[in-house]
Amino acid sequence: MKAAGLVLYKFCDFAFLPRPICRLSHLWLEGPCNGLAGSLSPGVNSTTCPQWTALHPTKHRGLSEDLDVAYSSEDFKQRAIQVLGEAVRVPTESYDDNGPVGEDSRWDTFAELHRVLEASFPRVYESLNVTKVNTYGLVFHWQGSSTAKPYILAAHQDVVPVEGQTVKDWKHDPYSGYYDGTWIWGRGTGDDKSDLIQQLLAIDSLLKQDFSPARTLVLSYGFDEESKGTEGAGHLARYLEETYGHDSFALLLDEGGRYTDMGGIVFAAPSTSEKGYLDVEITLSTLGGHSSLPPSHTSIGLLSRFIAAVEDNPHQASLSRTGTPFATTQCLAAYSPLYPDDLRKLARKAVTNDAALKVLQERLLASDPLYKAMLGTTQAVDLVEGGVKVNALPERASAVINHRIAEHSSVDELQQHMIDLLTPLAAKYDLALVAFGSNVTYGSAGRVVLSDFLGTALEPSPVTPTEYGPWALLQGSIKAAFESSPTRNSSKVVVIPSLSIGNTDTRFYWNLTKHIFRFSPSFDTDSFNGAHTVNEAFRADSLNEGVRFYTKFILNVDESDLL
């Protein structure tokens, strides 16, 4: 996964005031509704952050309970460690400059991973219909007995490359899959082979118990999520839409937000939307010549002025009541014991009061730099190029500005912002401006071009509904898995929507369903050193808990009438 964000507060502790029972959408919610003062217990429901009760399978209750026992065994834990380690030992690296499948031999390593998966899960391969899309994309089709809409579990097979000069900094070889008694070491243990293996372990366990689904389940595993995604999920999405049709799936669950402990209250934060993306290249072209007779501004000097103009005019943040960051804020304000009381009251007031909403936005932006990324479009000048020789005037200079587009904005709005901002500058220096294929101004001193670098523009994702239905089912499944775990000590969890500031393979699946969730059933502390860096490792005890979640989710979706 490229990146994800959730603003967490670290303040002081407060009490809560219970309120009367409330009900929503014909499904009983947890506990009494909240008032204004203090944080709520996870068992107390909030009007601004509805919490559904734990949803345990009913038709398959006995099966679910039997598997709960099995997943708590040391034998199952050791099997999970073994199969994840074997998958990690295959270095399925994807690179930004990978060529198409069939032309670039670096893809060939995925064939070995497929052999490992088939050897580890023969029952899955024998019982499910397995299709390979664009050679290395994997689709597992588990046919159901009913005509209910199918659903998708997704993950990706590839990992970020390990830089050769960093291998010496790893505690264990980055592709060892070594288990030290606590951690499983290696690239991909947390991102994202753990999700993939946990899903297959859950399905294998259900098959072993002779479970046969009523609702069709599809597994979709891409192989270049860490680069462009076009060879893997891009092809998989087209295949699935051609095979099943537009909007043909009840829901889709991919990697994403995790559990976080905040002052003794555990939050699960599935991402319900993702920011958009646009790399804008600014290219300046002017006449060359000898450096002994320079103009007032070379192409590099002019480029620096354009860059400065961009950085001096950042995009404005916006906290909208209809946006995911507002929903996340309301949930944290309701349930986090670390939230300051005055800010908690301000957040509650902002639900209906515009002045309070404005003050809340200002307070949030001042409280944590991450809110700038959550509430607005970000920009970062990441690449600069220009000049070939110290005594030759540069005829060309360029810069690439990476943008992560706010949920409330769009690619068109960002492009127009760039045009409006830079047109006066082009006119000032008598430069012709060509912006995203259109002539904007004419000039005789040179030319400036704004373009979509590498053609990777992406709109912000549709926002998944967080009302009754798939969201309630996901929330209930998370709670059931968490609260039934013998290692959680019957702890309760608050489930809240969040915005991902990076992008996953779900960006290719928008046509398949309106209900796209991004959640990985592990704690942030279950990763030793995060992802995409040295010493990536995954806590072994978390594997069983992830399998427990996927099992309950599969059983709940299978017997649910909420979809």
Side-chain angles (χ1 to χ4, degrees):
M1 181 178 61
K2 299 199 183 291
L6 172 64
V7 177
L8 306 179
Y9 291 88
K10 297 180 179 179
F11 298 109
C12 46
D13 195 2
F14 294 93
F16 67 92
L17 298 175
R19 288 293 182 265
I21 296 289
C22 64
R23 193 182 184 192
L24 183 65
S25 300
H26 310 293
L27 181 69
W28 286 103
L29 299 168
E30 284 198 316
C33 301
N34 67 300
L36 294 180
S39 65
L40 301 178
S41 161
V44 178
N45 199 44
S46 166
T47 55
T48 56
C49 184
Q51 297 295 302
W52 280 271
T53 55
L55 183 61
H56 292 273
T58 55
K59 180 180 177 182
H60 303 292
R61 177 180 176 181
L63 171 60
S64 178
E65 291 176 348
D66 287 347
L67 288 176
D68 275 341
V69 174
Y71 296 155
S72 300
S73 70
E74 184 64 23
D75 286 347
F76 187 87
K77 176 181 175 180
Q78 291 303 318
R79 165 147 167 75
I81 292 167
Q82 177 188 354
V83 294
L84 178 57
E86 290 171 350
V88 168
R89 282 189 276 276
V90 184
T92 50
E93 297 179 337
S94 64
Y95 299 84
D96 290 341
D97 63 348
N98 267 118
V101 172
E103 298 179 16
D104 191 328
S105 62
R106 288 177 292 180
W107 295 118
D108 296 347
T109 185
F110 287 89
E112 176 59 25
L113 178 62
H114 291 184
R115 287 189 286 271
V116 167
L117 293 177
E118 187 165 3
S120 298
F121 299 101
R123 190 168 22 237
V124 173
Y125 274 79
E126 291 167 4
S127 303
L128 277 61
N129 180 25
V130 183
T131 302
K132 294 186 178 182
V133 179
N134 196 25
T135 307
Y136 300 119
L138 287 175
V139 175
F140 295 78
H141 175 102
W142 199 1
Q143 181 62 43
S145 60
S146 75
T147 59
K149 263 189 172 184
Y151 65 108
I152 299 172
L153 296 181
H156 63 88
Q157 308 167 58
D158 62 310
V159 301
V160 168
V162 175
E163 295 185 31
Q165 63 268 32
T166 68
V167 172
K168 66 181 186 306
D169 300 323
W170 285 70
K171 294 178 180 294
H172 302 281
D173 187 276
Y175 291 108
S176 65
Y178 176 73
Y179 174 53
D180 66 3
T182 301
W183 302 96
I184 305 164
W185 294 86
R187 175 69 88 228
T189 50
D191 185 10
D192 179 40
K193 288 180 178 177
S194 52
D195 283 329
L196 188 153
I197 293 299
Q198 287 168 330
Q199 290 172 14
L200 291 175
L201 282 167
I203 292 168
D204 187 59
S205 299
L206 288 166
L207 287 169
K208 188 176 180 181
Q209 296 292 325
D210 297 321
F211 171 76
S212 181
R215 186 188 297 271
T216 296
L217 167 60
V218 173
L219 306 178
S220 184
Y221 298 152
F223 58 92
D224 62 340
E225 191 272 351
E226 300 293 3
S227 52
K228 296 184 280 291
T230 51
E231 293 291 301
H235 282 265
L236 288 166
R238 286 193 294 275
Y239 167 80
L240 292 172
E241 187 170 4
E242 290 169 0
T243 303
Y244 293 91
H246 182 84
D247 193 28
S248 55
F249 290 89
L251 61 84
L252 183 148
L253 177 63
D254 197 1
E255 62 167 335
R258 300 175 185 260
Y259 298 116
T260 299
D261 189 321
M262 296 174 57
I265 302 297
V266 176
F267 289 84
S271 295
T272 52
S273 67
E274 293 181 341
K275 297 185 75 173
Y277 187 97
L278 180 63
D279 288 324
V280 177
E281 183 174 31
I282 305 176
T283 303
L284 261 295
S285 299
T286 58
L287 291 175
H290 200 282
S291 294
S292 61
L293 294 172
S296 298
H297 305 288
T298 67
S299 61
I300 293 176
L302 291 168
L303 176 64
S304 68
R305 283 162 169 75
F306 279 79
I307 291 174
V310 170
E311 291 197 335
D312 288 345
N313 293 273
H315 300 265
Q316 296 301 305
S318 176
L319 181 63
S320 168
R321 291 190 183 96
T322 60
T324 302
F326 185 80
T328 305
T329 298
Q330 290 298 326
C331 287
L332 293 175
Y335 288 104
S336 174
L338 307 180
Y339 218 86
D341 198 30
D342 62 330
L343 196 59
R344 191 191 317 280
K345 293 178 181 179
L346 182 62
R348 189 67 182 88
K349 188 176 181 180
V351 173
T352 56
N353 185 291
D354 290 344
L357 179 65
K358 182 178 180 181
V359 175
L360 177 63
Q361 175 179 307
E362 294 171 352
R363 289 282 306 276
L364 293 176
L365 289 170
S367 70
D368 194 306
L370 186 53
Y371 258 112
K372 180 181 178 181
M374 300 291 286
L375 302 185
T377 296
T378 58
Q379 57 190 29
V381 182
D382 290 333
L383 298 176
V384 176
E385 179 186 39
V388 295
K389 201 171 186 297
V390 72
N391 64 346
L393 297 174
E395 295 173 317
R396 181 185 178 280
S398 66
V400 178
I401 305 171
N402 174 266
H403 296 86
R404 304 302 173 112
I405 305 173
E407 184 181 85
H408 60 265
S409 187
S410 67
V411 171
D412 283 346
E413 185 175 53
L414 172 56
Q415 290 179 340
Q416 191 59 52
H417 168 83
M418 295 290 289
I419 293 170
D420 294 342
L421 177 64
L422 300 181
T423 295
L425 204 57
K428 176 180 178 179
Y429 292 104
D430 193 25
L431 298 170
L433 174 61
V434 180
F436 309 106
S438 298
N439 293 320
V440 180
T441 65
Y442 296 90
S444 60
R447 189 169 185 249
V448 56
V449 176
L450 308 182
S451 62
D452 175 1
F453 183 66
L454 300 181
T456 55
L458 177 70
E459 296 288 352
S461 76
V463 179
T464 298
T466 53
E467 299 152 356
Y468 184 79
W471 172 253
L473 192 148
L474 174 64
Q475 193 181 103
S477 298
I478 290 172
K479 292 189 174 192
F482 193 88
E483 295 169 15
S484 64
S485 166
T487 65
R488 309 298 191 201
N489 299 318
S490 300
S491 299
K492 291 184 178 292
V493 60
V494 176
V495 184
I496 68 177
S498 68
L499 167 69
S500 173
I501 60 177
N503 301 111
T504 61
D505 273 343
T506 60
R507 65 192 185 274
F508 295 99
Y509 295 137
W510 297 349
N511 284 348
L512 300 179
T513 178
K514 297 179 179 66
H515 301 280
I516 296 177
F517 304 105
R518 306 156 188 88
F519 176 69
S520 296
S522 60
F523 275 84
D524 48 8
T525 53
D526 287 331
S527 293
F528 180 83
N529 194 34
H532 301 189
T533 186
V534 300
N535 292 321
E536 184 176 346
F538 193 74
R539 193 185 304 276
D541 286 343
S542 184
L543 281 174
N544 300 39
E545 300 309 321
V547 178
R548 190 187 313 278
F549 161 74
Y550 284 117
T551 300
K552 292 193 185 298
F553 184 70
I554 290 169
L555 293 176
N556 281 334
V557 174
D558 192 72
E559 61 186 49
S560 174
D561 59 359
L562 301 181
L563 307 177

